């Protein structure tokens, strides 16, 4: 029996009639007994009625639950039908409603919701709502993790889809990371997920292609192309065609494209949308090969397939129109009349613009304007990566029209303005994409793949500046040049500054620091397992899985900080456009910036060099055509200076150096010589210029081939040079407070009698001069030194945050293929943790929080590394800048012990006397040249050290103290004379 209180609340255990028995015991009359019996009967009927009601309600609830459940799954199925019919918005609405019902029935954390979130993510991706898609996939992942754990095979599906969406955003590094993790998860249940495993391997292969890792992509392709089924073979052949096309192996590329089409049409017929896609891809290849008629045939075959299935919106229609635009823009024809040629070419370019406009409309929301002079707003560019490519093509086409209109200034100006407006939107869109990326490697890769956008904008703005004389175009050119210089490095330093001034709790920052340390440690373990261990697949897979989870945790923490700390978000993503005027405000009257930009593009057949000249009172932009010989001279100069066999110099090598050093002076410095006289120069190099020090250029043509290095007309004798990754970084290097502790030095000896289990360490030769170097430094600046066996990584980690200057005199091991694993060689500690193994890698340096104002990296090749477009050289020195040190003395090649020690002693002597860093280094080098014999004046001895970053003096000049002393003496003499005169007058008066 169900009592009233069992429905509405708790009651004590016992017979329901106890209350009524108590009434009878208190009233011993029949009437009350009758009342009692009546109440018992009423209680029975009431209880029966309530039982019946609840039963009916329960039955109704079960029926309603069953109906809603059936409806939820029916809607999900209906949504899938919409999806397969390409009705993506209807599918999204229907599956979203199914999700609402499921959440009401099963709760928000039920695994039954995971499939809905996954489908919603895919549909948002197809509709161009990429961020909404990411959110949906993340919710699916959270549910799977909470139900089955963090390494369950079911995670493979949302990870694959996240990889696809990041690939669509142009974030190929993160796409590759998610696809690799999906493969790890799927491999936990290979029988069930065999098809998905094959698909995700193809995705990985495709990501390798997108990131220009062609050989790795081909290796993976050949391993899997014969083992896959379904529609993957045609995809592999198509991808092989694209790879061989990029490798200029056109015959093999053509064979693979045609094989892809044959396999696909045999599998799915000629009306499938994949066939339309393959036709377009082959047409793009034919345009590149200038087979225009055949390309048009394939475009015509693809058009009805693509448009019937997709309509006018989406990536596929956009690719169709863009390929048509490429054909019209590239089309050539013979004409003996220049006027007829220009007229026909102009018509083709205008037709190309109309096709690119259709492509933009296909890729954007709320933009339907067919006027080629208009562009969509950034917020309407739903498919960002694809919009970027079309905007670039459109800007280039307007630029080609401007070149055809050289006789009509007004029309040329109009085309150039349209070109600039278009490429500026592309530049701003690319900058917006950067703000969504957390991973450092992803940012560097994006800079590398998209640097042409910024360089094209520089070229267009330069032409407008020369035509109009309006310096606003000079500013636009400069902003884009800066965006193409060490952008990820600037992002990190801005981020660090935002953290310091915003109110993010220490607990969150400590948590992030711990995550970074774990990432660094696992990366190290993975590297050692692959390079030096047994390369155990199980271990490697385990390390990769750990790394993936840590990267996810870091990304989640970053998003949490951006969402919950508004001041941090605003400072981190403050507009990073820095104008020429802002740079000039921060320059001293005696300094000048020379910022170089290479525009080398085989496709456009351009080889140009731009030089920005910025001083306190003026700015200028110059443009020069460069020849292949100029690039060869740069290589010749670097090879000569860095050659470890610098003692063995032939007359021919010496003569080649003289020639190259003078010709590069004529290219890089002579055109601006009148502007840089009597100023200190900060050079912002570009590309391979990052490998050469300008001090070694010769300002006169020396034809005498007799080997004598001492008296050569080195540019260092005329000018003081400093270097920086970008002008923005140079003037905005965040100030560090001076520490009471002056200098921390490390100088391991690498004695030959020390043998460890580490083969790399055992190969290091003893450095005889490093201890002497530190002792000489200590004569000028108060120094705490760790020498010989005490120069451990562990001691460095305990002490590095407390000193004004860090001086590291030791060996380095470079890793050109993996620059983040280049490392400084400390002494190994006995019984130390794996984190303190004696090797401080670039990756570990990134995780340091440096308080020093100067780091002197007196180790070999600390400024050497891999050159990445748009970022510069990824070196150990760059790691110290990244970690917050504003000024570095780095080396460009191996250090010669004795000459290096004498140069650094003089440098520190001058530094302690108040000289600016770059001035002190220059004077130390000049002293070496003056005192050296003709052979030891070779630039290899004295030029390996260069100054990069902030140049401010660290200490007060002794000259100041001298003048203060003189002033005090003068004041004392004057006061004494006044007192004497006063006393004399008093005596006369008395």
């Amino acid at each position: 029996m169900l009592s009233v209180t069992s429905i509405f609340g708790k009651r004590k255990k016992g017979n329901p009639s106890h209350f009524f028995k108590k009434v009878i015991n208190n009233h011993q009359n029949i009437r009350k007994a009758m009342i009692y019996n009546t109440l018992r009967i009423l209680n029975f009927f009431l209880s029966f009625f309530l039982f019946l009601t609840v039963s009916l309600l329960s039955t109704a609830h079960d029926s309603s639950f069953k109906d809603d459940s059936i409806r939820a799954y029916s809607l999900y199925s209906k949504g899938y039908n919409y999806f397969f019919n390409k009705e993506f918005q209807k599918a999204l609405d229907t599956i979203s409603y199914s999700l609402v019902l499921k959440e009401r029935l099963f709760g928000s954390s039920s695994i039954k919701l995971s499939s809905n979130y996954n489908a919603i993510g895919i549909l948002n991706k197809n509709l161009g709502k990429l961020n909404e898609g990411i959110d949906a996939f993340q919710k699916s992942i959270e549910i799977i993790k909470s139900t089955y754990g963090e390494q369950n095979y079911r995670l493979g599906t949302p990870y694959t889809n996240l990889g696809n969406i990041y690939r669509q955003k142009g974030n190929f590094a993160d796409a590759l990371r998610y696809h690799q993790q999906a493969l790890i998860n799927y491999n936990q249940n290979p029988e069930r997920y065999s098809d998905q495993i094959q698909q995700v391997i193809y995705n990985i292969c495709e990501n390798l292609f997108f990131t220009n890792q062609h050989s790795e992509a081909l290796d993976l392709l050949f391993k899997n192309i014969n083992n896959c089924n379904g529609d993957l073979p045609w995809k592999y052949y198509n991808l092989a065609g694209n790879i061989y096309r990029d490798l200029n192996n056109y015959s093999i590329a053509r064979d693979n494209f045609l094989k892809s089409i044959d396999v696909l049409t045999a599998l799915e017929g000629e009306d499938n949308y994949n066939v339309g896609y393959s036709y377009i891809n082959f047409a793009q290849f034919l345009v590149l090969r200038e087979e225009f008629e055949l390309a048009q045939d394939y475009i015509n075959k693809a058009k009805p397939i693509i448009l019937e299935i997709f309509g006018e919106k989406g990536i596929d229609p956009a690719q169709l129109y863009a390929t048509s635009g490429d054909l019209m823009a590239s089309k050539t024809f013979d004409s003996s009349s220049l006027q007829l040629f220009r007229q026909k070419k102009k018509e083709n370019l205008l037709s190309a613009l109309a096709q690119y406009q259709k492509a933009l409309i296909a890729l954007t929301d709320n933009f339907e304007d067919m006027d080629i002079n208009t562009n969509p707003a950034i917020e309407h560019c739903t498919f960002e990566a694809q919009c970027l490519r079309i905007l670039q093509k459109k800007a280039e086409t307007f630029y080609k029209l401007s070149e055809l209109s050289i006789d009509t200034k007004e029309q040329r100006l109009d085309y150039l303005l349209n070109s600039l407006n278009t490429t500026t939107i592309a530049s701003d869109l690319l900058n917006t994409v950067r703000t969504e990326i957390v991973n450092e490697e992803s940012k560097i890769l994006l800079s590398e793949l998209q640097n042409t956008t910024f360089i094209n904008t520089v070229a267009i703005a330069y032409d407008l500046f020369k035509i109009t004389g309006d310096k606003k175009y000079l500013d636009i050119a400069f902003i884009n040049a800066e965006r193409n210089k060490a952008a990820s490095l600037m992002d990190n330093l801005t981020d660090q500054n935002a953290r310091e001034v915003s109110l993010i709790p220490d607990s969150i920052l400590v948590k992030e620091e711990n995550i970074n340390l774990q990432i660094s440690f696992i990366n190290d373990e993975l590297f050692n397992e692959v390079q030096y261990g047994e390369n155990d697949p199980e271990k490697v897979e385990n390390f990769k899985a750990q790394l993936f989870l840590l990267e996810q945790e870091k990304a989640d923490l970053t998003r949490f900080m951006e969402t919950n700390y508004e001041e941090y978000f605003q400072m981190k993503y403050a507009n990073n456009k820095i104008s020429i005027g802002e740079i000039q405000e921060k320059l001293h009257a005696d300094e000048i910036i020379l910022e170089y930009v290479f525009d080398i593009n085989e496709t456009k057949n351009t080889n140009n060099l731009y030089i920005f000249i910025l001083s306190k009172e003026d700015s200028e932009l110059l443009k020069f055509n460069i020849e292949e010989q100029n690039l060869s001279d740069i290589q010749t100069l670097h090879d000569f200076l860095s050659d470890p066999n610098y003692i063995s110099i032939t007359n021919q090598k010496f003569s080649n150096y003289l020639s190259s050093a003078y010709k590069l002076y004529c290219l890089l410095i002579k055109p601006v010589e009148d502007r840089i006289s009597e100023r200190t120069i900060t050079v912002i190099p570009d590309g391979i210029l990052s490998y050469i020090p300008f001090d070694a250029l010769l300002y006169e043509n020396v034809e005498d081939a007799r080997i004598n290095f001492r008296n050569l007309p080195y540019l260092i004798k005329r000018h003081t040079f400093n270097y920086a990754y970008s002008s923005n970084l140079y003037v905005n290097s965040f100030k560090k407070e001076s520490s009471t502790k002056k200098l921390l030095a490390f100088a391991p000896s690498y004695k030959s009698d020390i043998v460890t289990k580490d083969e790399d360490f055992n190969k290091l030769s003893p450095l005889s001069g490093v201890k002497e170097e530190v002792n000489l430094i200590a004569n000028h600046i108060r120094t705490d030194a760790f020498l010989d066996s005490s120069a451990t990584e562990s001691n460095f980690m305990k002490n590095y945050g407390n000193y004004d200057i860090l001086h590291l005199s030791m060996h380095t091991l470079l890793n050109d293929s993996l620059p983040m694993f280049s490392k400084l060689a400390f002494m190994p500690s006995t019984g130390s943790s794996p984190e303190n193994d004696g090797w401080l890698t670039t990756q570990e340096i990134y995780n340091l929080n440096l308080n020093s104002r100067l780091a002197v990296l007196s180790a070999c090749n600390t400024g050497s590394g891999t050159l990445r477009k748009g970022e510069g050289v990824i070196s150990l020195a760059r790691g110290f800048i990244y970690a917050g040190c504003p000024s570095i003395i780095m080396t460009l090649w191996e250090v010669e012990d004795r000459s290096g020690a004498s140069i650094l002693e003089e440098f520190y002597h001058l530094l302690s006397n108040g000289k600016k860093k770059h001035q002190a280094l220059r004077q130390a080098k000049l002293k070496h040249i003056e005192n050296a014999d003709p052979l030891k004046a070779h630039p290899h001895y004295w030029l390996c050290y260069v100054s990069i970053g902030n140049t401010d003096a660290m200490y007060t000049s002794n000259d100041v103290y001298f003048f203060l002393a003189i002033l005090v003496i003068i004041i004392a003499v004057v006061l004494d004379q006044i007192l004497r005169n006063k006393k004399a007058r008093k005596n006369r008066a008395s």
Side-chain angles (χ1 to χ4, degrees):
M1 182 177 291
L2 191 63
S3 69
V4 177
T5 51
S6 68
I7 299 174
F8 296 103
K10 291 184 178 180
R11 65 170 292 164
K12 293 181 180 179
K13 290 183 179 179
N15 193 313
S17 64
H18 280 180
F19 168 76
F20 302 108
K21 288 183 178 179
K22 188 175 182 181
V23 173
I24 292 175
N25 291 332
N26 293 332
H27 303 87
Q28 300 296 323
N29 54 61
I30 296 174
R31 184 183 177 194
K32 289 185 178 180
M34 290 175 64
I35 293 172
Y36 164 72
N37 289 328
T38 303
L39 289 173
R40 284 189 65 189
I41 293 169
L42 288 172
N43 183 53
F44 171 79
F45 281 110
L46 180 60
S47 297
F48 179 76
F49 173 76
L50 290 172
F51 173 76
L52 184 62
T53 302
V54 172
S55 298
L56 291 171
L57 288 172
S58 179
T59 303
H61 175 266
D62 290 342
S63 176
S64 175
F65 179 90
K66 186 177 180 180
D67 289 344
D68 282 351
S69 179
I70 292 171
R71 191 178 182 198
Y73 285 102
S74 175
L75 286 168
Y76 184 84
S77 178
K78 186 177 181 181
Y80 248 79
N81 288 333
Y82 284 134
F83 170 76
F84 284 117
N85 290 325
K86 310 301 178 187
E87 297 179 81
F88 298 134
Q89 189 58 56
K90 284 184 178 180
L92 179 61
D93 294 340
T94 307
I95 292 177
S96 296
Y97 188 35
S98 168
L99 175 67
V100 172
L101 291 175
K102 281 187 179 183
E103 192 168 12
R104 185 191 305 162
L105 294 168
F106 307 114
S108 60
S109 60
S110 170
I111 191 63
K112 297 179 187 296
L113 276 61
S114 175
S115 57
N116 284 70
Y117 279 123
N118 199 55
I120 288 168
I122 293 171
L123 290 164
N124 275 309
K125 168 183 170 290
N126 289 339
L127 289 166
K129 301 174 182 178
L130 303 186
N131 290 332
E132 290 89 336
I134 290 171
D135 290 341
F137 290 135
Q138 292 288 5
K139 287 176 182 175
S140 176
I141 289 166
E142 289 170 13
I143 290 172
I144 295 172
K145 283 183 177 180
S146 66
T147 307
Y148 298 109
E150 292 194 335
Q151 294 291 348
N152 190 265
Y153 59 85
R154 294 173 180 85
L155 288 164
T157 299
Y159 284 154
T160 298
N161 288 323
L162 267 176
N164 293 340
I165 213 166
Y166 278 115
R167 180 180 60 199
Q168 194 162 310
K169 287 174 75 70
N171 185 352
F172 300 118
D174 278 345
L176 181 60
R177 189 165 59 88
Y178 276 105
H179 285 145
Q180 288 172 334
Q181 182 58 34
L183 184 61
I184 291 172
N185 289 103
Y186 281 144
N187 276 326
Q188 294 176 11
N189 196 341
E191 292 182 3
R192 179 175 177 179
Y193 287 98
S194 58
D195 290 344
Q196 288 88 340
I197 286 171
Q198 291 180 12
Q199 179 62 53
V200 83
I201 289 173
Y202 170 79
N203 291 340
I204 291 169
C205 193
E206 196 173 40
N207 285 325
L208 291 170
F209 161 68
F210 283 134
T211 54
N212 295 327
Q213 299 179 69
H214 293 115
S215 59
E216 294 88 342
L218 284 174
D219 287 344
L220 189 60
L221 185 152
F222 288 133
K223 285 178 184 177
N224 292 278
I225 193 169
N226 295 320
N227 301 321
C228 60
N229 50 38
D231 66 348
L232 281 177
W234 80 264
K235 289 184 178 180
Y236 271 118
Y237 289 125
N238 189 72
L239 180 60
N242 286 322
I243 295 171
Y244 283 116
R245 177 201 64 204
D246 283 5
L247 294 173
N248 299 325
N249 196 331
Y250 299 119
S251 175
I252 297 179
R254 177 188 290 271
D255 291 343
N256 277 280
F257 282 128
L258 291 173
K259 194 166 187 178
S260 171
I261 293 172
D262 290 343
V263 169
L264 182 57
T265 51
L267 179 69
E268 298 185 354
E270 295 190 357
D271 294 331
N272 185 275
Y273 77 94
N274 284 328
V275 176
Y277 170 81
S278 64
Y279 287 160
I280 289 299
N281 213 33
F282 187 45
Q284 290 172 341
F285 169 78
L286 294 170
V287 169
L288 179 67
R289 300 297 297 149
E290 298 186 354
E291 298 179 49
F292 300 118
E293 288 187 12
L294 189 55
Q296 186 65 63
D297 289 342
Y298 275 94
I299 291 172
N300 292 339
K301 290 167 72 174
K303 190 172 184 178
I305 301 173
I306 297 293
L307 296 184
E308 183 177 345
I309 294 172
F310 294 100
E312 296 286 343
K313 287 287 186 179
I315 292 176
D316 293 87
Q319 193 171 3
L320 171 72
Y321 292 130
T323 306
S324 295
D326 293 345
L327 189 152
M328 297 307 298
S330 305
K331 206 168 184 179
T332 58
F333 48 87
D334 295 326
S335 174
S336 57
S337 167
L338 181 60
Q339 183 179 359
L340 183 61
F341 169 82
R342 285 184 177 177
Q343 180 184 342
K344 188 62 179 174
K345 186 65 176 176
K346 181 179 178 180
E347 290 173 2
N348 285 346
L349 292 175
L350 289 171
S351 296
L353 285 170
Q355 294 299 311
Y356 292 144
Q357 195 72 5
K358 286 184 178 181
L360 284 174
I361 290 170
L363 292 169
T364 52
D365 284 336
N366 302 319
F367 180 72
E368 303 291 339
D369 196 339
M370 272 302 298
D371 182 356
I372 60 173
N373 299 318
T374 62
N375 289 300
I378 289 176
E379 58 270 21
H380 295 153
C381 295
T382 48
F383 298 95
E384 294 166 334
Q386 290 75 17
C387 280
L388 269 172
R389 285 194 286 271
I390 306 302
L391 287 166
Q392 289 167 356
K393 291 174 185 290
K394 186 177 173 183
E396 288 172 7
T397 307
F398 271 124
Y399 190 74
K400 289 176 182 177
L401 281 167
S402 76
E403 292 178 318
L404 287 174
S405 307
I406 54 175
D407 297 333
T408 54
K409 181 178 178 181
E410 186 176 337
Q411 192 172 58
R412 186 186 180 206
L413 185 60
D414 185 56
Y415 286 138
L416 279 172
L417 286 171
N418 275 308
S419 181
L420 182 65
N421 290 337
T422 305
T423 195
T424 298
I425 290 175
S427 174
D428 290 344
L429 178 58
L430 183 54
N431 202 53
T432 301
V433 171
R434 289 188 60 83
T435 64
E436 299 175 358
I437 298 176
V438 176
N439 182 277
E440 165 75 4
E441 177 58 26
S442 296
K443 288 188 176 186
I444 292 175
L445 183 59
L446 185 67
S447 295
E448 200 167 36
L449 296 175
Q450 298 291 347
N451 76 310
T452 53
T453 299
F454 302 126
I455 291 175
N456 287 346
T457 310
V458 171
I460 298 163
Y462 171 82
D463 282 0
L464 283 166
F465 170 61
K466 297 309 289 184
I467 292 172
T468 66
D470 191 337
K471 286 208 168 185
K472 74 178 181 183
Y473 299 117
L474 183 59
D475 232 10
I476 292 171
F478 179 73
I479 286 167
N480 283 273
E482 279 291 291
R483 282 181 170 177
N484 198 43
K485 305 275 189 188
S488 68
L489 194 55
M490 190 67 203
D491 285 349
N492 184 68
L493 294 177
T494 303
D495 182 42
Q496 288 181 15
N497 191 50
R499 289 160 193 255
E500 289 175 8
V501 301
S502 56
L503 299 176
I504 298 178
D506 289 343
S507 58
I508 293 178
L509 298 178
V510 169
K511 182 178 181 180
E512 185 184 47
E513 183 180 353
N514 288 334
I515 293 172
N516 286 334
L517 290 172
Q518 290 179 69
I519 290 173
S520 178
F521 173 67
I522 298 298
N523 258 321
D524 220 21
E525 291 292 290
L526 175 61
F527 174 78
N528 289 330
E529 178 63 28
V530 173
Q531 295 291 320
Y532 307 115
E534 299 176 0
N535 202 2
D536 182 345
E538 187 175 343
K539 276 188 177 180
V540 169
E541 191 172 282
N542 184 48
F543 286 139
K544 287 181 178 179
Q546 291 181 61
L547 273 177
F548 178 80
L549 291 175
L550 287 167
E551 291 281 4
Q552 280 293 100
E553 192 176 354
K554 180 179 178 180
D556 291 343
L557 192 61
T558 299
R559 279 190 286 269
F560 175 82
M561 288 190 289
E562 291 178 358
T563 303
N564 293 278
Y565 298 93
E566 184 177 354
E567 184 182 14
Y568 164 70
F569 179 85
Q570 289 176 347
M571 289 196 64
K572 180 177 180 179
Y573 295 120
N575 193 337
N576 69 349
K577 292 182 180 179
I578 186 163
S579 67
I580 289 173
E582 290 172 299
I583 296 289
Q584 289 175 311
E585 285 178 8
K586 298 184 179 183
L587 289 178
H588 297 121
D590 64 340
E591 63 181 336
I592 197 164
I593 290 177
L594 298 180
E595 180 158 337
Y596 294 85
V597 176
F598 273 130
D599 180 10
I600 301 175
N601 191 314
E602 292 180 5
T603 305
K604 295 191 301 179
N605 195 29
T606 57
N607 288 300
N608 297 316
L609 174 68
Y610 296 90
I611 307 176
F612 290 90
I613 310 156
L614 308 181
S615 65
K616 186 77 174 175
E617 67 282 349
D618 197 14
S619 60
E620 183 61 274
L621 175 58
L622 305 178
K623 175 184 176 182
F624 303 96
N625 181 254
I626 55 176
E627 308 292 339
E628 285 296 323
Q629 183 58 46
N630 298 130
L631 303 177
S632 177
D633 287 333
I634 294 173
Q635 189 65 53
T636 298
L637 184 66
H638 174 264
D639 292 346
F640 179 80
L641 297 174
S642 61
D643 188 352
N645 297 317
Y646 53 90
I647 298 297
S648 305
I649 306 165
T650 64
N651 286 337
Q652 185 59 53
K653 281 186 177 181
F654 182 66
S655 178
N656 291 342
Y657 161 67
L658 297 178
S659 173
S660 294
Y662 176 68
K663 284 190 287 187
L664 288 174
Y665 160 76
C666 292
L667 175 69
L668 302 171
I669 296 296
K670 189 174 182 179
V672 300
E673 188 80 71
D674 59 328
R675 295 173 175 86
I676 63 176
S677 180
E678 304 300 322
R679 297 178 189 261
T680 61
I681 305 159
T682 293
V683 172
I684 316 295
D686 190 29
I688 57 175
L689 282 181
S690 304
Y691 288 123
I692 63 167
F694 283 37
D695 308 58
L697 304 183
L698 304 178
Y699 58 82
E700 291 178 359
N701 188 17
V702 180
E703 296 180 354
D704 187 353
R706 287 179 299 175
I707 299 174
N708 184 338
F709 288 100
R710 184 176 175 182
N711 298 321
L712 291 178
Y714 299 116
L715 208 52
I716 192 176
K717 295 180 179 180
R718 280 189 175 180
H719 301 293
T720 304
F721 288 101
N722 179 55
Y723 301 86
Y725 285 102
S726 74
S727 295
N728 197 353
L729 270 172
Y730 173 63
V731 299
N732 285 317
S733 54
F734 303 111
K735 303 296 183 182
K736 300 286 184 179
E737 296 297 325
S738 176
S739 174
T740 54
K741 293 186 176 182
K742 297 302 181 185
L743 189 146
L744 177 67
F746 283 80
S749 59
Y750 313 109
K751 292 180 180 177
S752 57
D753 57 342
I754 297 176
V755 179
T756 71
K757 295 180 181 179
D758 190 328
E759 289 302 317
D760 280 344
F761 182 83
N762 295 335
K763 294 175 185 177
L764 298 176
S765 59
L767 294 175
S768 57
V770 293
K771 191 186 297 185
E772 178 189 357
E773 179 177 293
V774 172
N775 290 332
L776 290 171
I777 293 167
N779 292 331
H780 304 286
I781 295 179
R782 189 168 69 251
T783 300
D784 291 334
F786 288 90
L787 308 175
D788 300 330
S789 60
S790 69
T792 63
E793 182 188 5
S794 179
N795 280 332
F796 175 79
M797 297 302 288
K798 290 175 186 174
N799 293 282
Y800 75 83
N802 303 319
Y803 289 82
D804 229 12
I805 302 173
L806 298 175
H807 183 98
L808 305 180
S809 188
M810 57 188 61
H811 277 302
T812 58
L813 260 66
L814 288 186
N815 189 322
D816 288 331
S817 58
L818 296 169
M820 295 300 283
F821 291 98
S822 295
K823 49 195 178 182
L824 291 162
F826 290 83
M827 293 294 288
S829 306
T830 305
S832 65
S833 65
E835 295 93 332
N836 290 316
D837 57 1
W839 301 108
L840 185 67
T841 66
T842 307
Q843 179 178 247
E844 290 172 318
I845 294 167
Y846 271 40
N847 291 327
L848 301 179
N849 185 15
L850 295 175
N851 297 315
S852 305
R853 293 189 290 156
L854 171 65
V856 178
L857 307 180
S858 183
C860 300
N861 295 294
T862 52
S864 301
T866 304
L867 180 66
R868 303 289 293 269
K869 284 184 180 179
E871 285 296 332
V873 177
I874 309 299
S875 65
L876 286 160
R878 186 182 187 275
F880 279 84
I881 295 279
Y882 189 96
C885 187
S887 184
I888 310 289
I889 304 296
M890 67 182 188
T891 58
L892 297 176
W893 47 78
E894 293 86 354
V895 179
E896 200 280 323
D897 277 0
R898 295 194 178 279
S899 60
S902 64
I903 288 171
L904 287 179
E905 181 193 12
E906 182 64 15
F907 165 75
Y908 278 111
H909 166 66
L910 295 167
L911 191 71
S912 66
N913 287 334
K915 287 289 183 184
K916 292 184 176 182
K917 305 178 192 84
H918 59 319
Q919 293 171 341
L921 187 60
R922 178 197 180 217
Q923 291 185 26
K925 291 175 182 178
L926 288 173
K927 183 176 179 181
H928 172 88
I929 296 170
E930 184 180 347
N931 296 329
D933 60 43
L935 184 60
K936 286 200 172 181
H938 189 305
H940 185 94
Y941 284 93
W942 53 268
L943 197 49
C944 65
Y945 293 105
V946 296
S947 164
I948 184 167
N950 180 275
T951 60
D952 292 345
M954 298 192 67
Y955 307 109
T956 304
S957 170
N958 286 342
D959 292 341
V960 173
Y961 294 122
F962 174 76
F963 286 120
L964 284 175
I966 295 295
L967 183 60
V968 169
I969 292 171
I970 291 172
I971 292 172
V973 170
V974 170
L975 287 174
D976 180 68
Q977 189 62 42
I978 291 171
L979 290 172
R980 286 174 182 272
N981 291 340
K982 188 175 181 180
K983 186 176 181 181
R985 286 196 299 271
K986 186 176 180 181
N987 290 336
R988 286 196 296 271
S990 62

